[in-house]
Amino acid sequence: GKVLVTGANGYIAVWVVKALLEQGFSVRGTVRSASKGAHLKETFKSYGDKLELVVVEDITKDGAFDEAVKDVDAIEHTASPFHFNAEDPAELITPAVAGTGSVLQSALKYGINVKRVVVLSSCASVIDTSLPQPVTFSEADWNDYSIREVQAKGKNATAGDKYRASKTLAEKAAWVFYEKYKGELQWDLVVLNPPFVFGPVLHAVDSPESLNTSVKDWYTFVLKGKGDPQAVATFASAWVDVRDLAEAHVLAIKKEVAGGNRIIVSAGSFKWQDWVIEARKFAPEIPLGDTSYKSPEIYPLQYDTSRGTRLLGIPFRTKEETTRDIIANFKEKGWF
Ligand code: NDP
């Protein structure tokens, strides 16, 4: 079969493309300009024309994907901005919401072979950061908090809430669309909700400074010891290895039973200090920092991952494996 991957040059998407190609799929990737596809073509040159790239300059335009969806059997929509530099929340919300809308609209009109559409959402659409911790979230939870914050505060909302609102609004739009057209679609929808995504990089990055947001955080907090020292000990979240998330994308198109579900894809919880401890196994020169740290028995932020286990059944890498591979990857690049 052939699979359309939007934003194919992104950190996560390149691993999705790799997993698809390795498992025998053909891939049509979209990028915003031909030059953004060059590294992809080079990386996967051994697959020849099993990887095809098309340019979609503006994903927010009606009909943007009309050509791209033709003759594909499934769609993985990953293109969406992930950064904390937006002044106006619309810089994130417009591409997130309208990009998702145009993919689904094109799939409705022209995706005659499409059986499944996978939308890469985020745990950003699930969590409510105003709740007291420890807290456990599941797919039943929605991050209406960030939407309210952005509505009330606009540009003055936190960078985190602007991003999280963009993901929540985009995912809600996908489900509204799906419910509306369900009766006339020959495809169904699966939404994947990962927390922080870590792991080696395969996409085009020429320096650590230009890393994607999540891996740059890991680099800053763990390897460089440059993160806010307070946050190293207190900030708590959850994570998944990028290669396991890529496998989840493949399973999400293969597993019939997954249809109609949003699925949290998380390997577990972390505090930054946990990663520092792992990293010192492979690079003892990294300063330990907080010598009194003990990993908590109950992490402040947790996800119920039973749905993902039941529907996809992904075996997750451990923090140790992921750390080992990131450090090897960064050493190879001369970044560490
Ligand atoms: P990257 O920044 O590496 O990739 C983002 C991709 O989206 C790129 O292909 C980028 O294209 C494209 N994109 C960004 N803004 C726009 C826009 N305005 N119009 C069209 N395309 C755009 O990040 P990730 O791989 O980490 O993120 C991919 C997806 O995963 C996002 O949807 C993100 O929300 C989600 N996600 C990421 C997590 C993480 O920890 N990394 C966690 C949970 C979800 P270009 O290169 O041209 O800018």
Side-chain angles (χ1 to χ4, degrees), residues 2-5 25 72-76 113-118 253:
K2 187 184 270 193
V3 182
L4 177 71
V5 179
F25 292 94
V72 300
D73 304 291
I75 298 173
E76 314 258 25
N113 294 337
V114 175
K115 300 280 175 303
R116 168 99 8 121
V117 176
V118 179
I253 60 174

Side-chain angles (χ1 to χ4, degrees), residues 2 4 28 61-75 101-117 177 181 184-187:
K2 187 184 270 193
L4 177 71
R28 175 178 295 151
K61 268 207 196 133
D62 271 351
F65 294 96
D66 282 359
E67 285 304 314
V69 300
K70 287 180 185 165
D71 75 345
V72 300
D73 304 291
I75 298 173
S102 70
V103 170
L104 298 179
Q105 192 68 44
S106 294
L108 169 70
K109 277 167 85 178
Y110 297 106
I112 50 167
N113 294 337
V114 175
K115 300 280 175 303
R116 168 99 8 121
V117 176
F177 182 99
Y181 293 106
E184 50 187 289
L185 295 172
Q186 79 293 344
W187 49 264

Side-chain angles (χ1 to χ4, degrees), residues 112-325:
I112 50 167
N113 294 337
V114 175
K115 300 280 175 303
R116 168 99 8 121
V117 176
V118 179
V119 170
L120 175 52
S121 182
S122 170
C123 283
S125 312
V126 174
I127 52 170
D128 179 337
T129 56
S130 70
L131 294 177
Q133 296 179 335
V135 62
T136 302
F137 295 106
S138 77
E139 290 88 353
D141 297 304
W142 279 95
N143 180 9
D144 291 316
Y145 172 77
S146 291
I147 298 176
R148 287 197 303 273
E149 282 292 294
V150 165
Q151 275 165 353
K153 297 178 183 164
K155 287 182 183 162
N156 299 321
T158 66
D161 281 320
K162 289 176 196 171
Y163 168 69
R164 289 190 290 271
S166 79
K167 294 303 284 181
T168 312
L169 290 165
E171 189 189 334
K172 285 191 177 220
W175 287 117
V176 167
F177 182 99
Y178 181 62
E179 287 305 321
K180 183 169 172 192
Y181 293 106
K182 220 157 124 180
E184 50 187 289
L185 295 172
Q186 79 293 344
W187 49 264
D188 58 12
L189 179 67
V190 173
V191 171
L192 298 179
N193 302 76
F196 271 85
V197 182
F198 298 136
V201 299
L202 203 56
H203 64 308
V205 190
D206 42 32
S207 70
E209 289 68 41
S210 51
L211 274 164
N212 61 291
T213 301
S214 57
V215 180
K216 194 172 173 180
D217 275 353
W218 200 97
Y219 178 83
T220 309
F221 278 100
V222 182
L223 287 192
K224 283 287 154 183
K226 292 249 171 72
D228 170 4
Q230 183 74 18
V232 174
T234 59
F235 177 82
S237 194
W239 73 285
V240 65
D241 188 287
V242 67
R243 296 159 293 180
D244 297 335
L245 178 59
E247 181 60 22
H249 278 80
V250 180
L251 290 169
I253 60 174
K254 281 184 169 172
K255 298 265 188 183
E256 182 85 41
V257 292
N261 285 282
R262 70 192 304 230
I263 305 174
I264 290 171
V265 185
S266 171
S269 302
F270 75 84
K271 286 192 173 195
W272 288 119
Q273 186 67 25
D274 296 325
W275 293 105
V276 173
I277 291 166
E278 294 300 331
R280 283 166 48 87
K281 295 178 185 167
F282 306 100
E285 68 273 25
I286 293 173
L288 178 60
D290 182 357
T291 51
S292 67
Y293 178 83
K294 281 201 191 71
S295 58
E297 260 167 52
I298 296 174
Y299 277 81
L301 178 59
Q302 305 198 57
Y303 292 101
D304 175 346
T305 54
S306 51
R307 183 182 291 179
T309 304
R310 181 164 49 84
L311 296 178
L312 303 179
I314 316 147
F316 290 113
R317 283 172 172 79
T318 61
K319 284 192 186 91
E320 181 171 325
E321 291 170 291
T322 299
T323 302
R324 176 197 64 202
D325 297 346

